[in-house]
Amino acid sequence: MAATATTPGAPTSRLGKAATEFDDRMIVAGPVRRTLNKVFPDHWSFLLGEIALYCFIILLLSGTYLTFFFDASMVEVEYQGEYDPLRGTQMSAAYASALDLSFDVRGGLFMRQMHHWAALLFVAAIVVHLLRIFFTGAFRRPRESNWLIGVVMLVLSLLMGVTGYTLPDDLLSGTGLRIISAILLSIPVIGTWAHFAVFNGDFVGTEIIGRFYIAHVLIFPAILLALIAVHLLILVKQKHTQFPGPGRTEHNVVGNRLFPTFAGKATGLLLVVFGVCAALAGLVQINPVWLWGPYNPAQVSAASQPDWYIMFLDGSTRIFPAWDINLPGDYTIPALFWPTVVVAGLMFTVLAVYPMIERKLTGDTASHHLLQRPRDVPVRTSLGVMALTFYVWLLLAGGNDVIADKFNISLNAMTWVGRIGVIILPPIAYVLTYRICLGLQQHDREVLEHGIETGVIRRLPHGEFIEVHQPLGPVDEHGHGQLAYGGAPVPKRMNQVGGARRAIRGFFSPIEQPSAVELEQLGEGRGLAAGEASRELTSSGRPSDGGRPSDGGRPQDARD
Amino acid sequence: MSTTNPQSDAPTDATSRPVDRARARRRSKQRRRVANVAGLMASLVLTGSLYSVFAPAQAAEDTTSESAAEAAGRELYERSCITCHGENLEGEPNRGPSLIGVGEASVYFQVHTGRMPLVRQEAQAPDKPAVFSDAEIEQLMAYVQANGGGPELPPGGNLRDGDLAEGGELFRLNCASCHNFVGEGGALSSGKYAPSLKDATDLEIYTAMLTGPENMPVFGDNQLTPEEKRSIINYVQTVKFQADPGGAGIGRIGPVGEGLVIWVVGIGALMFGIFWMGSKA
């Protein structure tokens, strides 16, 4: 021990010595130091994927609790639990245990609701994260593989959702299961076999809940967990993208170190996500299975919908015409096949291969670590908005009976609005987005060329009114700016420009001190500045009209 | 009903004196007249009573004396209903259906929920505050019941004394496909809808099942026995007034409301959170 104690820089505290002993054996100091010093760029939109990650953690924890009490069995039992309106009803053991979880298990209802809310939030966060990646071009080389993994994880999370939705075996989930069965059956050639493989017989059989349970609690989460690990490892290896800005290039990363800043923020966000899920679970009721009743194939309810992330497929099914294709020899391709298998297949295929499509179309095979502003890539942005319009329209069509009921609209009208809208709205969205992108681009260029609009109007001696512009940088002999557009946000308002001034921390964005020209304008308004032309124009300036005493001594000559 | 006998002067009497003969003729003529009238009356009464035996419903219409309630009901009917349902409850094409045989239960449901009188012709009559008082509704019920009969109100008693769990099962089997799991209502085709049962009273639910108003099928006592109807009412009313143990019920319509909440509240709150975090360097 004496040898180590005399080494220069050796730890003297007990903890430090213990750490040295540990490192002597494990040799981890190097990697840990590198990891802790890893720099992550800072932008609010980079936290969206983290929300999904934290939702997944909540799902694992609450789901584990639920497995202690859930019985994934389709054995018929008679309910004798706490909930009076169902006591004595025949139901599956799965449904009975879901009821017991809600009414008899301590904290069970809260956990069930938290699990379900977190699941809805999980997919929602994935979708928002995906939109951020898409619209900023973060999927470009070298990150195509991570994009692909992300799409696979999205599909897996949808499958997780579908299987989890089915487990309680209530009337709503059973209706969903019936539709899953119908979709499987609608697949040409292999449909019947696929159905038998999944259900082990005809609908509904006695096995499906058990099978979906294992898929839901083991198979899909295990794959998802592995993919999340790969997703994050690739992210660390390839480094995070960043928005262009001062000092940011394709070859560096500007941001905060993992420890302590980023770790502190991440922990904070984890707690925020946890808090939102817990608040929802405690305050807002979700999937009240006791109201739905046990599944019985003879029963169905109005307004039976899947959870929101599958609702786009329900919507496409609702608005698709009943076009069965009858082939010779008693073969039929049911209409259901197109809006479900084909539409979903096409949507996710196009989504998965979009990086390759864009690479082919633009011929851009270079590596990119700087993100793009959506306005600077109008075609991609417009395509994205077009696809999003299509998706959201299908989503709304999935709830068309509820919309019809709540807003007193004819359901037939809703169906036709869905059909016509899904064809004409996406192109309209494309054109509008394209025009908006070009307009924003033009305004950026205008600011760079002429400066920021100050809102200060001057009257020239010959009577012309002009607005004073504040150039962003040095100007040429015509007064035009010489700055090039660098892909970063261009300041548009005066108080965004004062980079040289001290920023006061605001709640969302820094509050900056007013710029020189604004202060001057303010002073003019109070009549402090000299010169008749710059006097306040909203009143006569007389004390009786609210003019200020300082104006009093000056001549009130003919102004109007 | 005045009767004259065409063969009144037939020589059937054997009296010699002309005066006697004339008197006798007059007497026999009177006798014959009385006999004829009596016979005709007897046959009419016989026919009438036979008719009333074989067609009891129609016989009621023949009675000219109506009760005070029916008269008052007729008065109300002629003021508020006659335009669409016709002078004799026979209905008017493209305006209103015949009310013959709909019964007092139907009148009770339609008028008590304010569906009738109709404000305008549309896909379906919406429920609104009742126009008539309970006494007036009684009179209308009496009038319609007197003219054609039909389903009557249940004899009274507690309409919720059925089995709760059985009621739930029957509700999900017969009612949920239009009225939703817990009676929140739902859309039907072409602007028609199954209304929410939120404001429905026991008797309104009972009479609705009995008479099948608007687009609802009739659940006669052969389809759902009175006991089963009371079970369903028990279930509907119990679940309606039952608190939501999980928090805010958000309409109890399932995933549509939940999806809205997660996007507006969940993602909204988190967006607020990350904007805030992003501004803290």
Side-chain angles (χ1 to χ4, degrees):
Chain A
M1 284 306 130
T4 32
T6 52
T7 313
T12 49
S13 67
R14 179 167 292 181
L15 188 66
K17 281 177 185 159
T20 311
E21 294 288 325
F22 184 74
D23 188 46
D24 281 347
R25 290 164 178 78
M26 295 298 170
I27 317 177
V28 289
V32 166
R33 174 182 292 270
R34 268 206 304 283
T35 312
L36 291 184
N37 282 341
K38 182 108 188 138
V39 170
F40 285 92
D42 204 17
H43 191 265
W44 64 266
S45 69
F46 300 163
L47 301 174
L48 293 166
E50 269 183 58
I51 295 179
L53 177 66
Y54 301 145
C55 284
F56 187 71
I57 293 172
I58 298 172
L59 286 169
L60 285 183
L61 294 178
S62 56
T64 307
Y65 185 81
L66 297 180
T67 59
F68 297 152
F69 308 101
F70 181 69
D71 178 10
S73 147
M74 296 177 82
V75 173
E76 192 92 341
V77 297
E78 192 182 294
Y79 179 67
Q80 290 299 346
E82 283 298 308
Y83 186 65
D84 201 28
L86 285 173
R87 202 174 296 138
T89 307
Q90 292 290 319
M91 58 182 65
S92 67
Y95 183 61
S97 70
L99 289 177
D100 288 341
L101 250 171
S102 306
F103 294 110
D104 297 78
V105 174
R106 189 174 301 277
L109 181 58
F110 176 76
M111 282 303 204
R112 250 200 65 224
Q113 298 205 132
M114 181 136 99
H115 193 71
H116 206 137
W117 280 122
L120 297 193
L121 194 60
F122 178 55
V123 190
I126 291 178
V127 169
V128 182
H129 173 59
L130 179 142
L131 292 178
R132 201 282 291 172
I133 302 290
F134 181 86
F135 285 116
T136 59
F139 55 81
R140 292 173 298 167
R141 183 187 171 105
R143 295 182 177 77
E144 304 99 324
S145 50
N146 233 8
W147 167 269
L148 203 58
I149 291 172
V151 173
V152 173
M153 286 200 290
L154 173 63
V155 175
L156 271 175
S157 64
L158 297 188
L159 290 173
M160 290 268 283
V162 167
T163 48
Y165 177 90
T166 306
L167 291 184
D169 201 27
D170 56 87
L171 186 48
L172 185 60
S173 71
T175 306
L177 189 61
R178 173 79 262 196
I179 296 172
I180 294 172
S181 143
I183 292 171
L184 280 174
L185 282 173
S186 78
I187 304 171
V189 185
I190 64 156
T192 317
W193 281 271
H195 184 279
F196 272 62
V198 172
F199 284 82
N200 196 28
D202 205 351
F203 182 82
V204 57
T206 55
E207 319 232 329
I208 191 68
I209 298 284
R211 288 183 173 187
F212 272 23
Y213 183 62
I214 281 302
H216 182 76
V217 303
L218 180 69
I219 301 172
F220 293 146
I223 303 173
L224 206 50
L225 202 56
L227 286 178
I228 288 174
V230 176
H231 201 66
L232 293 181
L233 282 175
I234 292 178
L235 163 79
V236 168
K237 175 82 182 101
Q238 295 181 333
K239 296 187 178 60
H240 204 291
T241 51
Q242 59 184 348
F243 279 105
R248 295 174 186 174
T249 69
E250 291 281 7
H251 309 290
N252 69 1
V253 178
V254 179
N256 296 309
R257 290 182 195 282
L258 175 64
F259 194 85
T261 315
F262 186 80
K265 280 190 156 191
T267 315
L269 186 59
L270 169 68
L271 295 177
V272 168
V273 175
F274 223 108
V276 167
C277 287
L280 281 172
L283 298 174
V284 189
Q285 178 165 288
I286 187 166
N287 199 24
V289 287
W290 55 92
L291 295 178
W292 306 159
Y295 182 56
N296 175 343
Q299 302 171 351
V300 70
S301 164
S304 287
Q305 260 97 8
D307 277 335
W308 77 262
Y309 41 82
I310 304 290
M311 222 178 272
F312 75 103
L313 285 181
D314 201 337
S316 62
T317 308
R318 283 168 187 234
I319 62 176
F320 195 79
W323 289 340
D324 285 344
I325 298 176
N326 292 308
L327 302 171
D330 258 4
Y331 293 106
T332 302
I333 303 176
L336 182 64
F337 175 66
W338 308 106
T340 53
V341 181
V342 173
V343 164
L346 277 178
M347 282 170 75
F348 285 108
T349 307
V350 170
L351 188 67
V353 301
Y354 182 79
M356 291 52 136
I357 296 174
E358 188 179 300
R359 211 168 49 203
K360 270 277 179 303
L361 289 180
T362 60
D364 178 5
T365 52
S367 274
H368 296 280
H369 300 285
L370 284 178
L371 297 173
Q372 289 168 306
R373 303 177 80 201
R375 68 186 62 178
D376 295 333
V377 202
V379 172
R380 180 206 296 147
T381 306
S382 308
L383 282 175
V385 174
M386 186 165 105
L388 196 61
T389 309
F390 179 76
Y391 174 81
V392 171
W393 202 250
L394 291 185
L395 186 75
L396 290 175
N400 64 3
D401 60 335
V402 175
I403 296 173
D405 188 45
K406 298 293 172 201
F407 293 98
N408 286 328
I409 304 167
S410 159
L411 183 56
N412 301 41
M414 282 302 295
T415 305
W416 277 103
V417 165
R419 285 174 178 169
I420 296 167
V422 85
I423 292 167
I424 66 165
L425 284 181
I428 292 176
Y430 184 94
V431 173
L432 281 180
T433 313
Y434 199 89
R435 301 307 309 177
I436 291 171
C437 285
L438 292 191
L440 289 169
Q441 277 188 23
Q442 263 176 356
H443 194 240
D444 282 349
R445 303 304 187 277
E446 190 191 310
V447 168
L448 288 169
E449 199 171 332
H450 294 116
I452 300 170
E453 297 169 1
T454 59
V456 176
I457 310 289
R458 297 251 189 230
R459 192 179 185 191
L460 299 183
H462 57 274
E464 184 190 353
F465 287 98
I466 56 152
E467 181 175 6
V468 178
H469 283 69
Q470 168 89 36
L472 291 175
V475 292
D476 60 13
E477 63 271 22
H478 304 294
H480 289 160
Q482 294 161 317
L483 292 174
Y485 180 66
V490 172
K492 294 286 176 72
R493 288 195 313 276
M494 283 309 291
N495 63 0
Q496 285 181 310
V497 80
R501 290 166 181 275
R502 192 173 63 85
I504 305 160
R505 295 221 162 160
F507 192 74
F508 277 139
S509 56
I511 301 165
E512 292 169 21
Q513 284 182 358
S515 59
V517 67
E518 278 178 312
L519 285 173
E520 190 187 326
Q521 172 73 358
L522 236 55
E524 284 172 3
R526 297 200 187 99
L528 297 174
E532 186 64 21
S534 59
R535 289 258 311 273
E536 207 173 338
L537 297 177
T538 51
S539 73
S540 69
R542 291 183 204 100
S544 59
D545 282 346
R548 291 166 194 282
S550 64
D551 292 344
R554 286 200 263 135
Q556 302 285 329
D557 53 6
R559 209 152 37 97
D560 38 14
Chain B
M1 216 35 96
S2 67
T3 51
T4 43
N5 198 331
Q7 281 136 8
S8 59
D9 49 355
T12 48
D13 228 347
T15 22
S16 50
R17 275 176 57 212
V19 176
D20 285 352
R21 222 184 299 150
R23 194 180 295 136
R25 204 187 295 140
R26 222 176 293 131
R27 207 168 36 238
S28 72
K29 194 175 176 183
Q30 277 173 340
R31 211 185 299 129
R32 274 204 308 278
R33 248 183 215 155
V34 170
N36 277 335
V37 168
L40 191 64
M41 287 309 287
S43 61
L44 274 175
V45 166
L46 185 67
T47 315
S49 52
L50 275 176
Y51 184 75
S52 70
V53 163
F54 289 115
Q58 293 294 321
E61 229 172 348
D62 287 343
T63 56
T64 45
S65 69
E66 44 182 22
S67 70
E70 288 165 32
R74 175 192 292 279
E75 183 70 21
L76 291 171
Y77 178 87
E78 284 172 356
R79 261 194 283 134
S80 300
C81 322
I82 198 166
T83 322
C84 301
H85 291 297
E87 226 173 328
N88 298 308
L89 304 125
E90 78 277 25
E92 288 283 327
N94 299 324
R95 268 196 239 159
S98 164
L99 297 186
I100 296 166
V102 301
E104 60 174 19
S106 181
V107 178
Y108 177 84
F109 178 84
Q110 297 283 358
V111 183
H112 198 262
T113 59
R115 286 183 164 78
M116 294 291 143
L118 203 57
V119 172
R120 60 174 175 273
Q121 297 281 350
E122 52 190 322
Q124 186 169 323
D127 61 327
K128 52 186 184 294
V131 172
F132 294 110
S133 68
D134 283 354
E136 288 170 325
I137 295 172
E138 296 273 333
Q139 292 160 358
L140 274 173
M141 282 160 59
Y143 174 63
V144 173
Q145 187 70 25
N147 293 282
E152 293 173 16
L153 291 192
N158 184 5
L159 290 177
R160 298 189 194 178
D161 61 3
D163 182 71
L164 186 59
E166 191 205 358
E169 199 59 23
L170 288 168
F171 184 85
R172 286 187 291 275
L173 194 60
N174 294 293
C175 320
S177 54
C178 302
H179 285 286
N180 165 284
F181 301 99
V182 284
E184 288 296 331
L188 301 175
S189 59
S190 304
K192 293 173 284 203
Y193 57 91
S196 160
L197 305 181
K198 204 159 55 208
D199 302 322
T201 65
D202 295 355
L203 194 53
E204 282 168 5
I205 300 174
Y206 195 101
T207 49
M209 284 190 275
L210 205 55
T211 62
E214 313 290 340
N215 289 283
M216 184 163 157
V218 173
F219 293 96
D221 287 349
N222 294 333
Q223 282 95 12
L224 289 172
T225 64
E227 292 72 43
E228 289 173 333
K229 287 196 179 78
R230 288 200 287 270
S231 300
I232 290 176
I233 293 171
N234 188 14
Y235 179 76
V236 171
Q237 305 290 35
T238 305
V239 168
K240 187 161 79 184
F241 294 112
Q242 159 187 306
D244 284 318
I250 50 172
R252 290 179 171 183
I253 46 164
V256 173
E258 292 157 9
L260 195 64
V261 167
I262 202 64
W263 276 99
V264 175
V265 179
I267 290 288
L270 286 174
M271 281 294 179
F272 186 87
I274 59 175
F275 278 142
W276 179 63
M277 283 195 144
S279 70
K280 307 282 171 213

